[in-house]
Amino acid sequence: MTFSLSPKHDSLEDYLADRAPNQPEFHQAVVEVMGDIKPIIDQHAAFKDANVFARLAEPERMISFQVPWQTDEGTIEVNRGYRVQYNGAIGPYKGGLRFHPSVNPSILKFLGFEQTFKNALTGLPMGGGKGGSDFNPKGRSEAEIMRFCSAFMQELHRHIGPDIDVPAGDINVGGREIGYLFGAYRRITNRFQGVLTGKGQSFGGSAMRTQATGFGVIYFLNQMLEAHDDGVEGKRVIISGAGNVATYAAQKAVELGARVITLSDSNGTIHDPDGLSQDKIDWVRSHKAQSGASLEAYVDAFGGTWHSGDTPWGVEADIALPCATQNELDGSAAKTLLKNGTMAVVEGANMPCTADAKQALRSADILYAPGKAANAGGVAVSGLEISQNRTRRPETADEVDEALHQIMFDIHSVCVEEGTRDGAVDYTKGANIAGFRKVADAIVMQGVG
Ligand code: GLU
């Protein structure tokens, strides 16, 4: 039997191996989505005729460039920079920049692909994009980070713009880096415009952008629980990561009465059975702001136990929130969560579950939400920042928080609508189908050149 996307290939896997060799993360993301949307494509001749899936199975454009920059010692280092303009059918490309040694075309293509569906789910007019560099900021001085950002923008500026592509932050790119990138953009182009989101509030940044992804994760979790007449109050929560998403998810969960008992970094996990408090979370944030600082020092400051090299998934809890990075939760960790009676797994990171883990969680009788739905709050507030930059009218934190609540509520509703099967909600299926429909309709309506 011929695989319907391409007469030359027998399966999606063959197709991807041929068109995108050696890109395992990208294949993983595409295969997952395809499993859910194939029936939708098969039911819609217009989607098939326009070959929509093949057009979504590769980026519209991928830019790769050299970033030469000067260290404090005066030597010149060369990193590689990228911008993947994945799909622009519903709006200018939009998505974060990641600075991490693991950054490569496979990682950025999977992130751009996921971002395309996530952005569609927000209901705001944003296409999908992603970018970054294999630059490792760990152990670099502030001046080196500033020079790297400036060098990166020397090339990136020609590919972005408020009506073209609007980057933001992602792993290792936060408010400080966005400030340096924006400064470089302004100096190079002499334009003050909304070309990046996540800016400082004194120069066009939205209130609540820093908190938005983590808070949004908890708003989404709350919706899932409320649908079962339950809530986060009193629940034990394990969280991985110690960055923006993890710490603001922890903060909102604690505010709503949950007991958050873990955080983690690349060195290991802290387990604090007493639960995190606002003070402890503030400490983690300022401690992790020092380049290369390990979370291990938490135990000296507050007690609890340190588990070197471990993830949090072995700690018994009601709710698990993977908020660190891709493929951080594997099949055996998923089994442990299920064995421990975890009732909900909600993804704060992008594709934190391996394909095996995902399969185990989706087929179990628990609540499980994919990142493209649950972590969409960050890019949603980025979308609101774009609007505020257009009108040059900032909104208050309360206004933004209310809009964020509404957007997460709407994403939850559309996942329920598209993903309900035999009375249970498959949030992954719901998110994939709802995101796909919107982008696919726009692709069809715009024809080809
Ligand atoms: N990096 C974030 C994400 O994965 C935010 C992107 C943005 O705000 O453009 O959605």
Side-chain angles (χ1 to χ4, degrees), residues 65-71 76-81 99 133 135 143-158 177 180-181 183-185 187-188:
F65 50 95
Q66 185 192 105
V67 188
W69 61 281
Q70 194 167 30
T71 65
I76 304 297
E77 297 214 3
V78 180
N79 284 96
R80 193 163 290 164
F99 292 167
S133 172
F135 170 67
E144 287 178 319
I145 287 171
M146 184 172 73
R147 282 198 295 276
F148 180 81
C149 289
S150 197
F152 185 82
M153 191 51 86
Q154 281 295 331
E155 171 63 28
L156 187 70
H157 81 272
R158 55 190 103 243
E177 290 73 17
Y180 293 150
L181 289 162
Y185 180 85
R187 287 187 291 274
I188 295 165

Short mmCIF file of all heavy atoms in Angstrom, two decimals, residues 65-71 76-81 99 133 135 143-158 177 180-181 183-185 187-188:
data_model
loop_
_atom_site.label_atom_id
_atom_site.label_comp_id
_atom_site.label_asym_id
_atom_site.label_seq_id
_atom_site.Cartn_x
_atom_site.Cartn_y
_atom_site.Cartn_z
N PHE A 65 23.09 30.59 10.32
CA PHE A 65 24.12 31.62 10.12
C PHE A 65 25.23 31.49 11.15
O PHE A 65 25.07 30.83 12.18
CB PHE A 65 23.50 33.03 10.16
CG PHE A 65 22.60 33.32 11.34
CD1 PHE A 65 23.10 33.95 12.48
CD2 PHE A 65 21.24 32.99 11.31
CE1 PHE A 65 22.27 34.25 13.56
CE2 PHE A 65 20.41 33.27 12.39
CZ PHE A 65 20.92 33.91 13.52
N GLN A 66 26.33 32.15 10.85
CA GLN A 66 27.51 32.12 11.73
C GLN A 66 27.41 33.27 12.74
O GLN A 66 27.01 34.37 12.39
CB GLN A 66 28.74 32.34 10.83
CG GLN A 66 30.04 32.25 11.52
CD GLN A 66 31.19 32.76 10.65
OE1 GLN A 66 31.71 33.85 10.87
NE2 GLN A 66 31.57 31.97 9.67
N VAL A 67 27.76 32.97 13.99
CA VAL A 67 27.78 34.04 15.01
C VAL A 67 29.19 34.13 15.61
O VAL A 67 29.53 33.43 16.56
CB VAL A 67 26.76 33.80 16.14
CG1 VAL A 67 26.68 35.03 17.06
CG2 VAL A 67 25.38 33.44 15.61
N PRO A 68 30.04 35.00 15.05
CA PRO A 68 31.36 35.18 15.64
C PRO A 68 31.29 36.24 16.73
O PRO A 68 30.67 37.29 16.53
CB PRO A 68 32.21 35.69 14.46
CG PRO A 68 31.23 36.26 13.48
CD PRO A 68 29.86 35.79 13.82
N TRP A 69 31.86 35.99 17.89
CA TRP A 69 31.77 36.95 19.00
C TRP A 69 33.05 36.89 19.83
O TRP A 69 33.79 35.92 19.78
CB TRP A 69 30.53 36.67 19.86
CG TRP A 69 30.54 35.31 20.49
CD1 TRP A 69 30.21 34.14 19.88
CD2 TRP A 69 30.92 34.98 21.83
NE1 TRP A 69 30.36 33.09 20.76
CE2 TRP A 69 30.79 33.58 21.97
CE3 TRP A 69 31.33 35.73 22.93
CZ2 TRP A 69 31.07 32.92 23.17
CZ3 TRP A 69 31.62 35.07 24.12
CH2 TRP A 69 31.49 33.68 24.22
N GLN A 70 33.26 37.96 20.62
CA GLN A 70 34.52 38.11 21.34
C GLN A 70 34.36 37.79 22.82
O GLN A 70 33.47 38.30 23.49
CB GLN A 70 35.01 39.54 21.17
CG GLN A 70 36.45 39.71 21.59
CD GLN A 70 37.01 41.05 21.13
OE1 GLN A 70 36.26 42.03 21.02
NE2 GLN A 70 38.30 41.11 20.87
N THR A 71 35.23 36.93 23.37
CA THR A 71 35.20 36.60 24.80
C THR A 71 35.86 37.73 25.60
O THR A 71 36.46 38.64 25.01
CB THR A 71 36.00 35.31 25.09
OG1 THR A 71 37.37 35.56 24.78
CG2 THR A 71 35.49 34.13 24.29
N ILE A 76 38.21 35.06 19.74
CA ILE A 76 36.98 35.03 18.96
C ILE A 76 36.43 33.61 18.95
O ILE A 76 37.15 32.66 18.60
CB ILE A 76 37.23 35.47 17.49
CG1 ILE A 76 37.88 36.87 17.44
CG2 ILE A 76 35.94 35.43 16.67
CD1 ILE A 76 37.05 38.00 17.99
N GLU A 77 35.17 33.46 19.34
CA GLU A 77 34.52 32.15 19.25
C GLU A 77 33.45 32.21 18.15
O GLU A 77 32.91 33.29 17.86
CB GLU A 77 33.87 31.80 20.59
CG GLU A 77 34.91 31.67 21.68
CD GLU A 77 34.58 30.62 22.72
OE1 GLU A 77 33.56 29.92 22.59
OE2 GLU A 77 35.38 30.53 23.67
N VAL A 78 33.16 31.05 17.60
CA VAL A 78 32.14 31.00 16.55
C VAL A 78 31.06 30.01 16.93
O VAL A 78 31.34 28.84 17.18
CB VAL A 78 32.76 30.58 15.19
CG1 VAL A 78 31.68 30.53 14.11
CG2 VAL A 78 33.86 31.55 14.78
N ASN A 79 29.84 30.50 17.03
CA ASN A 79 28.68 29.62 17.25
C ASN A 79 27.81 29.63 16.01
O ASN A 79 28.03 30.42 15.09
CB ASN A 79 27.88 30.07 18.47
CG ASN A 79 28.57 29.69 19.75
OD1 ASN A 79 29.28 30.50 20.35
ND2 ASN A 79 28.38 28.45 20.17
N ARG A 80 26.82 28.75 16.04
CA ARG A 80 25.88 28.74 14.92
C ARG A 80 24.53 29.25 15.38
O ARG A 80 24.04 28.87 16.44
CB ARG A 80 25.76 27.32 14.38
CG ARG A 80 25.06 27.29 13.04
CD ARG A 80 25.27 26.00 12.32
NE ARG A 80 26.64 25.85 11.86
CZ ARG A 80 27.15 24.67 11.48
NH1 ARG A 80 26.42 23.58 11.53
NH2 ARG A 80 28.39 24.59 11.04
N GLY A 81 23.95 30.15 14.60
CA GLY A 81 22.63 30.69 14.91
C GLY A 81 21.62 30.18 13.89
O GLY A 81 21.99 29.82 12.76
N PHE A 99 19.15 29.35 23.70
CA PHE A 99 20.62 29.27 23.67
C PHE A 99 21.02 28.05 24.50
O PHE A 99 20.91 28.05 25.74
CB PHE A 99 21.26 30.51 24.31
CG PHE A 99 21.09 31.80 23.53
CD1 PHE A 99 21.38 33.03 24.15
CD2 PHE A 99 20.66 31.81 22.22
CE1 PHE A 99 21.24 34.22 23.45
CE2 PHE A 99 20.50 33.01 21.51
CZ PHE A 99 20.80 34.22 22.13
N SER A 133 20.63 29.26 19.23
CA SER A 133 22.04 29.00 18.94
C SER A 133 22.55 27.88 19.84
O SER A 133 22.03 27.66 20.94
CB SER A 133 22.84 30.27 19.20
OG SER A 133 24.22 30.01 19.09
N PHE A 135 25.15 28.19 21.39
CA PHE A 135 25.92 28.93 22.40
C PHE A 135 25.52 28.45 23.80
O PHE A 135 24.33 28.35 24.11
CB PHE A 135 25.60 30.42 22.25
CG PHE A 135 26.13 31.30 23.36
CD1 PHE A 135 27.49 31.49 23.54
CD2 PHE A 135 25.24 31.96 24.22
CE1 PHE A 135 27.96 32.33 24.54
CE2 PHE A 135 25.71 32.80 25.22
CZ PHE A 135 27.08 32.97 25.39
N ALA A 143 29.02 40.39 30.40
CA ALA A 143 29.51 41.13 29.21
C ALA A 143 29.58 40.19 28.01
O ALA A 143 29.29 40.59 26.87
CB ALA A 143 30.88 41.73 29.50
N GLU A 144 29.97 38.94 28.25
CA GLU A 144 30.06 37.99 27.13
C GLU A 144 28.66 37.68 26.59
O GLU A 144 28.46 37.58 25.38
CB GLU A 144 30.75 36.69 27.60
CG GLU A 144 32.24 36.90 27.79
CD GLU A 144 32.98 35.67 28.29
OE1 GLU A 144 32.43 34.96 29.17
OE2 GLU A 144 34.10 35.41 27.82
N ILE A 145 27.70 37.55 27.51
CA ILE A 145 26.32 37.28 27.07
C ILE A 145 25.80 38.46 26.25
O ILE A 145 25.18 38.29 25.20
CB ILE A 145 25.44 36.94 28.28
CG1 ILE A 145 25.83 35.52 28.76
CG2 ILE A 145 23.95 37.02 27.95
CD1 ILE A 145 25.25 35.08 30.05
N MET A 146 26.12 39.67 26.70
CA MET A 146 25.68 40.86 25.95
C MET A 146 26.32 40.88 24.56
O MET A 146 25.62 41.11 23.56
CB MET A 146 26.05 42.13 26.72
CG MET A 146 25.53 43.38 26.05
SD MET A 146 25.76 44.84 27.06
CE MET A 146 27.52 45.07 26.94
N ARG A 147 27.61 40.60 24.49
CA ARG A 147 28.28 40.62 23.18
C ARG A 147 27.73 39.50 22.29
O ARG A 147 27.56 39.69 21.09
CB ARG A 147 29.80 40.48 23.34
CG ARG A 147 30.48 41.78 23.76
CD ARG A 147 31.97 41.74 23.49
NE ARG A 147 32.63 40.74 24.31
CZ ARG A 147 33.04 40.94 25.58
NH1 ARG A 147 32.87 42.12 26.14
NH2 ARG A 147 33.61 39.97 26.25
N PHE A 148 27.43 38.34 22.89
CA PHE A 148 26.87 37.26 22.07
C PHE A 148 25.51 37.67 21.49
O PHE A 148 25.24 37.48 20.30
CB PHE A 148 26.73 35.94 22.85
CG PHE A 148 26.17 34.88 21.96
CD1 PHE A 148 26.97 34.21 21.07
CD2 PHE A 148 24.79 34.64 21.94
CE1 PHE A 148 26.44 33.29 20.16
CE2 PHE A 148 24.25 33.73 21.03
CZ PHE A 148 25.08 33.05 20.16
N CYS A 149 24.66 38.26 22.34
CA CYS A 149 23.31 38.68 21.87
C CYS A 149 23.44 39.69 20.73
O CYS A 149 22.71 39.63 19.73
CB CYS A 149 22.51 39.31 23.02
SG CYS A 149 21.99 38.10 24.25
N SER A 150 24.37 40.61 20.91
CA SER A 150 24.58 41.64 19.90
C SER A 150 25.05 41.03 18.58
O SER A 150 24.56 41.37 17.50
CB SER A 150 25.62 42.61 20.48
OG SER A 150 25.60 43.78 19.79
N ALA A 151 25.99 40.08 18.68
CA ALA A 151 26.52 39.42 17.48
C ALA A 151 25.42 38.60 16.80
O ALA A 151 25.31 38.57 15.56
CB ALA A 151 27.69 38.51 17.86
N PHE A 152 24.58 37.95 17.60
CA PHE A 152 23.48 37.13 17.06
C PHE A 152 22.51 38.02 16.26
O PHE A 152 22.07 37.68 15.17
CB PHE A 152 22.78 36.46 18.26
CG PHE A 152 21.70 35.48 17.90
CD1 PHE A 152 22.02 34.18 17.53
CD2 PHE A 152 20.36 35.85 17.94
CE1 PHE A 152 21.01 33.27 17.22
CE2 PHE A 152 19.36 34.95 17.63
CZ PHE A 152 19.69 33.65 17.27
N MET A 153 22.23 39.21 16.82
CA MET A 153 21.29 40.12 16.16
C MET A 153 21.87 40.74 14.89
O MET A 153 21.14 41.15 13.99
CB MET A 153 20.84 41.20 17.15
CG MET A 153 19.67 42.03 16.68
SD MET A 153 18.23 41.08 16.10
CE MET A 153 17.33 40.79 17.62
N GLN A 154 23.22 40.80 14.81
CA GLN A 154 23.86 41.33 13.59
C GLN A 154 23.32 40.62 12.35
O GLN A 154 23.21 41.21 11.28
CB GLN A 154 25.38 41.11 13.64
CG GLN A 154 26.15 42.09 14.48
CD GLN A 154 26.10 43.52 13.95
OE1 GLN A 154 25.97 43.75 12.75
NE2 GLN A 154 26.17 44.47 14.86
N GLU A 155 23.01 39.33 12.48
CA GLU A 155 22.46 38.60 11.34
C GLU A 155 20.93 38.49 11.43
O GLU A 155 20.23 38.70 10.44
CB GLU A 155 23.07 37.19 11.28
CG GLU A 155 22.43 36.27 10.26
CD GLU A 155 22.57 36.73 8.81
OE1 GLU A 155 23.56 37.43 8.48
OE2 GLU A 155 21.68 36.39 7.99
N LEU A 156 20.42 38.21 12.64
CA LEU A 156 18.98 37.93 12.76
C LEU A 156 18.12 39.11 12.31
O LEU A 156 17.02 38.92 11.79
CB LEU A 156 18.63 37.54 14.21
CG LEU A 156 17.19 37.08 14.41
CD1 LEU A 156 16.96 35.71 13.76
CD2 LEU A 156 16.82 37.01 15.90
N HIS A 157 18.62 40.35 12.49
CA HIS A 157 17.76 41.52 12.25
C HIS A 157 17.20 41.55 10.84
O HIS A 157 16.11 42.06 10.60
CB HIS A 157 18.52 42.82 12.55
CG HIS A 157 19.41 43.28 11.43
ND1 HIS A 157 20.71 42.86 11.29
CD2 HIS A 157 19.17 44.09 10.38
CE1 HIS A 157 21.24 43.42 10.21
NE2 HIS A 157 20.32 44.18 9.64
N ARG A 158 17.93 40.97 9.88
CA ARG A 158 17.44 41.06 8.50
C ARG A 158 16.30 40.08 8.22
O ARG A 158 15.68 40.13 7.17
CB ARG A 158 18.58 40.90 7.48
CG ARG A 158 19.39 39.67 7.62
CD ARG A 158 20.67 39.66 6.75
NE ARG A 158 21.87 39.93 7.52
CZ ARG A 158 22.65 40.99 7.34
NH1 ARG A 158 22.37 41.89 6.44
NH2 ARG A 158 23.73 41.15 8.07
N GLU A 177 18.43 38.79 28.21
CA GLU A 177 18.88 38.55 26.84
C GLU A 177 17.99 39.28 25.83
O GLU A 177 18.48 39.84 24.85
CB GLU A 177 18.91 37.05 26.52
CG GLU A 177 20.00 36.26 27.24
CD GLU A 177 19.74 36.05 28.74
OE1 GLU A 177 18.58 36.21 29.19
OE2 GLU A 177 20.70 35.72 29.46
N TYR A 180 19.07 42.85 25.62
CA TYR A 180 20.29 43.03 24.80
C TYR A 180 19.98 42.85 23.31
O TYR A 180 20.49 43.58 22.46
CB TYR A 180 21.37 42.02 25.21
CG TYR A 180 21.93 42.23 26.60
CD1 TYR A 180 22.40 41.14 27.36
CD2 TYR A 180 22.02 43.51 27.17
CE1 TYR A 180 22.93 41.33 28.63
CE2 TYR A 180 22.55 43.68 28.45
CZ TYR A 180 22.99 42.59 29.17
OH TYR A 180 23.51 42.76 30.42
N LEU A 181 19.13 41.85 23.01
CA LEU A 181 18.78 41.62 21.59
C LEU A 181 18.01 42.81 21.03
O LEU A 181 18.26 43.26 19.91
CB LEU A 181 17.94 40.33 21.47
CG LEU A 181 18.70 39.02 21.71
CD1 LEU A 181 17.73 37.87 22.00
CD2 LEU A 181 19.57 38.66 20.49
N GLY A 183 18.09 45.94 22.14
CA GLY A 183 19.02 47.07 22.03
C GLY A 183 19.84 46.97 20.75
O GLY A 183 20.01 47.96 20.03
N ALA A 184 20.32 45.77 20.47
CA ALA A 184 21.12 45.58 19.25
C ALA A 184 20.26 45.86 18.02
O ALA A 184 20.69 46.55 17.08
CB ALA A 184 21.69 44.16 19.22
N TYR A 185 19.03 45.35 18.03
CA TYR A 185 18.13 45.55 16.88
C TYR A 185 17.89 47.04 16.63
O TYR A 185 17.94 47.53 15.51
CB TYR A 185 16.79 44.84 17.13
CG TYR A 185 15.82 45.01 15.98
CD1 TYR A 185 15.86 44.15 14.88
CD2 TYR A 185 14.88 46.05 15.97
CE1 TYR A 185 15.00 44.33 13.81
CE2 TYR A 185 14.02 46.23 14.90
CZ TYR A 185 14.08 45.36 13.83
OH TYR A 185 13.23 45.53 12.77
N ARG A 187 19.76 49.58 17.59
CA ARG A 187 20.97 50.28 17.13
C ARG A 187 21.26 49.99 15.66
O ARG A 187 21.68 50.86 14.91
CB ARG A 187 22.18 49.87 17.99
CG ARG A 187 22.14 50.48 19.40
CD ARG A 187 23.42 50.22 20.17
NE ARG A 187 23.58 48.81 20.53
CZ ARG A 187 23.05 48.26 21.63
NH1 ARG A 187 22.34 48.99 22.48
NH2 ARG A 187 23.23 46.99 21.89
N ILE A 188 21.01 48.75 15.23
CA ILE A 188 21.31 48.38 13.84
C ILE A 188 20.31 49.03 12.88
O ILE A 188 20.68 49.53 11.82
CB ILE A 188 21.28 46.84 13.66
CG1 ILE A 188 22.38 46.18 14.49
CG2 ILE A 188 21.42 46.45 12.20
CD1 ILE A 188 22.22 44.66 14.68
#
